[in-house]
Amino acid sequence: MSTVRLTMGQALVRYLCNQYTVIDGKKEPLFAGLFGIFGHGNVTCISEALEAVQDKLPTWRGQNEQSMALAAVAYAKAMRRRQIMIALSSIGPGALNMVTAAGCAHANRLPVLFLAGDIFANRRPDPVLQQVEHFGNPTISVNDAFKAVTRYWDRITHPEQIISSLPQAIATMLDPGDCGPAFIGLCQDTQEIAFDYPEAFFAPTVHTIPRPRPDRERVAKAIDLIKSAKRPLIISGGGVRYSGAETEVADFALKHGVPMAETIAGKGAVTHDHPAHVGPIGVIGSSSANEMAGAADVIIAIGTRLQDFTTGSWTVFAQDAQFVSINAARYDATKHRALAVVGDAKETVAELEAALGSWKADAAWTIRGKTAFKGWNDLLDAHQKPTNAAVPTYAQVVGVVNTWAAPNDTMVTAAGGLPGETAKGWKIKNPNTYDLEFGFSAMGYEIAGGWGHAMAKKGDGETIVMVGDGSYLMMNSDIYSTVLTGHKMIVVVCDNGGYAVINRLQNFKGTPSFNNLIKDSRVKEPFAVNFAKHAESMGAATRHCESLADLEAALKWAKTTDRTTVISIVTDAFSWVPGDADWDVGVPEVSDRPEVNKARAHHETIRKKQRIGV
């Protein structure tokens, strides 16, 4: 056997450089690049290997391990899981800073390869800098924290181990049913050790993402159940987009007259005005989709894990409604006694289409969906219409930005009030131009995620980040990153004086405003941050807006700038587009507050509506 002598760090990097994927018929690197921050746990070995291949595997320097890893998460989402980024940290706090991003990737079923320095395998110099010690188990390091938030986890204590570990990590990240982040801990001393690696290990390998076909018997049962439906409804999830099944699902819905609702991750599979579309479903969804869900007798759930925001904590469906769940992941397909059809969305819908023939849902049901959706659009228009109010609402700001955005621009947002306002109010012009990270609701994803999207778009349209003041203050340093690297994005900061949407929930459940809005927190004197000046100090072009007219002018100007541009505007902390789905959150069973007791009584009515595991 022909071999080549390399250190473990060199071998790892060489292997990653020789992995390829196919995107739109073209061979591309599987790993598009690496976000890295160097410390003593990776700078002397891994960085030596990366420096030598920087033209083939570019290394991008982040400002914070969490934010750079969130950028990697967003990149994977933008590429619809067909290409992967690497997030590399040193040991100790650097590694732990990536755990939140790993949780985000895990919850959203997205592939990211996490690499982190680790303790010494030989333990000779223990305890080393940044090492935590467990008195009863010396094998534990901070990297064990990743076990809860990754699909694949390994620690390399001998250089030969990467020969079996790396292929398994890649297989996991590319498995549509088990997709998620992979973590590999790299012991400091193991990185430096040389080994005679088989040259075959480094042979260029082209990976394709499998499309598992569904079981024929399950498909037949699904056909029978769909044909028996009088009021069928499609719920299109993120798996539709990752499968590339947008056209197939939309055409299926249109041909058979089945109204089509979208989940948070699924939003953007079709344009807002697609004839089958009835809006987003669930807690931050539309009255139209929720009305159809409540009346549906058969729900065809495609590529969705049926998260509580989709199901209204299982209150939006009729108790006797039946589910056909099409999913590449057996775990997701099997939930709530659904008829589980385990398979790729694109292939499964094609098989259903071939077997259904000319069957169509009742025309009155299809018309009901269109009527409900028109009512929803009228409501949106009313909330987004500009007024003479001194402070604009989120809905109005979203409406202005959405109207201005070009069809190929991508909007990115995450936690706080903007998820509800954009899920409801952002009207998709082109498929796959919307990213709401709400599987993990990670504050700080917005700006970091914008970097990942801007990198993936390669200049094809603008990346528009909408972020609240709370998330901005939590994580904003990738404004600086994008100015440095030339990945332009347009950031709209909506300043409503703190954590306004969680203040709304606090009040709704009977507790007075406390520790959410800045003015209701323990401060000497509340004051606003000048976000435009702050972003300007990081090299961004900036403007602060006093009105919606200012915002329109600033957005037009932002198209002409040559770097990341930040626009700030004060927004109302108390005005929201209404929602009509319930959400199960804990409310005190006993309290001295009448408002809490009233909220508790109302919450008990919500729980009576829930489908319990079926």
Side-chain angles (χ1 to χ4, degrees):
M1 182 185 301
S2 180
T3 62
V4 55
R5 191 163 182 80
L6 299 168
T7 69
M8 185 273 279
Q10 294 162 352
L12 176 131
V13 169
R14 181 178 293 195
Y15 179 85
L16 296 176
C17 287
N18 280 294
Q19 308 308 302
Y20 296 90
T21 184
V22 177
I23 301 176
D24 299 330
K26 185 180 177 183
K27 178 182 170 183
E28 300 281 1
L30 177 62
F31 297 100
L34 179 145
F35 293 104
I37 293 178
F38 295 136
H40 72 275
N42 60 8
V43 72
T44 57
C45 293
I46 296 295
S47 77
E48 184 266 351
L50 289 170
E51 191 278 337
V53 299
Q54 55 185 296
D55 293 335
K56 189 171 185 179
L57 181 66
T59 295
W60 301 98
R61 181 191 178 281
Q63 315 307 320
N64 176 287
E65 290 89 355
Q66 179 179 328
S67 69
M68 73 178 191
L70 287 172
V73 173
Y75 187 94
K77 187 181 288 191
M79 297 304 297
R80 287 187 283 164
R81 306 198 306 197
R82 296 173 298 174
Q83 201 172 33
I84 302 169
M85 290 293 284
I86 303 161
L88 168 71
S89 80
S90 184
I91 63 173
L96 284 178
N97 282 346
M98 300 196 299
V99 171
T100 298
C104 181
H106 192 280
N108 287 284
R109 316 291 204 259
L110 292 168
V112 178
L113 178 58
F114 290 92
L115 300 175
D118 212 322
I119 55 179
F120 273 71
N122 65 27
R123 304 186 194 170
R124 189 179 304 142
D126 286 5
V128 296
L129 180 66
Q130 299 182 348
Q131 180 178 354
V132 300
E133 293 180 278
H134 289 258
F135 299 165
N137 188 343
T139 67
I140 293 177
S141 81
V142 298
N143 289 340
D144 288 79
F146 284 91
K147 290 178 178 177
V149 288
T150 51
R151 294 286 187 191
Y152 181 87
W153 187 97
D154 197 4
R155 173 180 287 125
I156 303 302
T157 59
H158 188 281
E160 187 177 358
Q161 292 171 345
I162 64 169
I163 296 174
S164 59
S165 185
L166 289 173
Q168 293 294 343
I170 290 173
T172 299
M173 290 186 287
L174 296 182
D175 185 336
D178 199 33
C179 184
F183 172 85
I184 300 179
L186 308 171
C187 289
Q188 291 182 71
D189 50 340
T190 308
Q191 294 177 37
E192 71 186 53
I193 299 174
F195 181 79
D196 294 319
Y197 289 94
E199 285 192 345
F201 178 59
F202 305 108
T205 303
V206 179
H207 300 269
T208 56
I209 299 173
R211 291 189 178 276
R213 270 63 173 180
D215 177 73
R216 286 193 293 269
E217 184 177 332
R218 292 296 179 96
V219 171
K221 288 181 178 180
I223 292 294
D224 291 341
L225 188 52
I226 293 169
K227 284 184 173 180
S228 73
K230 298 185 183 301
R231 299 176 303 280
L233 175 71
I234 289 172
I235 299 178
S236 175
V240 171
R241 296 175 59 203
Y242 299 142
S243 170
E246 300 96 323
T247 300
E248 287 75 10
V249 172
D251 289 350
F252 178 95
L254 192 59
K255 176 180 177 180
H256 299 292
V258 181
M260 176 182 173
E262 290 182 308
T263 70
I264 293 165
K267 183 177 173 73
V270 296
T271 60
H272 182 79
D273 295 325
H274 188 277
H277 186 221
V278 295
I281 190 171
V283 176
I284 56 174
S286 59
S287 58
S288 49
N290 290 337
E291 174 190 330
M292 302 302 284
D297 57 355
V298 174
I299 291 95
I300 307 167
I302 310 175
T304 170
R305 61 194 182 108
L306 296 173
Q307 181 220 28
D308 66 339
F309 261 58
T310 297
T311 67
S313 299
W314 288 97
T315 64
V316 299
F317 307 109
Q319 291 288 338
D320 59 352
Q322 295 178 277
F323 281 76
V324 175
S325 190
I326 299 166
N327 207 294
R330 174 198 55 77
Y331 187 92
D332 290 326
T334 308
K335 292 173 180 173
H336 282 258
R337 293 180 57 81
L339 172 59
V341 184
V342 180
D344 172 74
K346 190 171 186 175
E347 296 297 332
T348 303
V349 170
E351 292 196 26
L352 291 176
E353 173 60 41
L356 272 175
S358 60
W359 175 86
K360 291 193 73 168
D362 186 271
W365 174 246
T366 307
I367 292 171
R368 180 174 174 179
K370 294 179 181 295
T371 302
F373 193 46
K374 181 182 182 304
W376 171 249
N377 280 314
D378 290 343
L379 177 68
L380 273 183
D381 290 343
H383 278 274
Q384 294 184 342
K385 183 178 180 180
T387 64
N388 292 324
V391 180
T393 65
Y394 260 162
Q396 291 170 328
V397 171
V398 168
V400 167
V401 179
N402 193 188
T403 300
W404 160 84
N408 61 334
D409 293 344
T410 295
M411 203 285 295
V412 182
T413 193
L418 282 165
E421 298 302 305
T422 63
K424 294 171 184 174
W426 189 271
K427 298 177 180 178
I428 303 295
K429 300 174 183 178
N430 268 356
N432 298 306
T433 55
Y434 176 86
D435 175 11
L436 166 54
E437 194 297 289
F438 216 53
F440 206 55
S441 187
M443 292 183 70
Y445 174 88
E446 299 93 334
I447 291 171
W451 188 18
H453 274 275
M455 192 175 289
K457 287 181 75 69
K458 298 179 175 67
D460 181 19
E462 302 281 4
T463 297
I464 305 162
V465 174
M466 296 198 71
V467 60
D469 54 303
S471 281
Y472 180 100
L473 289 172
M474 189 169 285
M475 195 167 294
N476 54 62
S477 60
D478 285 321
I479 290 173
Y480 181 55
S481 301
T482 59
V483 174
L484 285 171
T485 61
H487 296 109
K488 179 189 174 184
M489 57 188 182
I490 297 171
V491 181
V492 179
V493 184
C494 297
D495 180 4
N496 56 19
Y499 305 142
V501 77
I502 209 70
N503 179 72
R504 175 195 186 197
L505 177 62
Q506 186 178 48
N507 295 165
F508 183 62
K509 296 304 181 182
T511 302
S513 295
F514 172 65
N515 200 50
N516 285 316
L517 297 180
I518 300 298
K519 69 181 182 65
D520 301 318
S521 303
R522 190 179 295 274
V523 296
K524 286 181 63 176
E525 184 178 344
F527 66 92
V529 173
N530 189 323
F531 293 101
K533 284 189 175 180
H534 182 268
E536 184 180 4
S537 74
M538 291 188 284
T542 66
R543 278 193 188 179
H544 177 70
C545 301
E546 298 289 347
S547 66
L548 293 174
D550 282 355
L551 178 61
E552 290 179 2
L555 288 167
K556 290 178 182 177
W557 162 75
K559 285 275 189 181
T560 69
T561 61
D562 62 354
R563 62 191 185 278
T564 287
T565 301
V566 176
I567 300 167
S568 64
I569 185 168
V570 175
T571 51
D572 191 339
F574 300 97
S575 297
W576 312 92
V577 176
D580 59 356
D582 295 312
W583 187 31
D584 191 354
V585 294
V587 180
E589 191 170 4
V590 295
S591 175
D592 293 332
R593 301 178 188 273
E595 298 87 354
V596 172
N597 293 327
K598 182 179 178 181
R600 173 70 188 193
H602 174 258
H603 208 77
E604 288 173 354
T605 67
I606 292 174
R607 288 178 173 167
K608 287 178 181 177
K609 294 190 295 183
Q610 287 179 312
R611 292 166 56 107
I612 309 300
V614 296

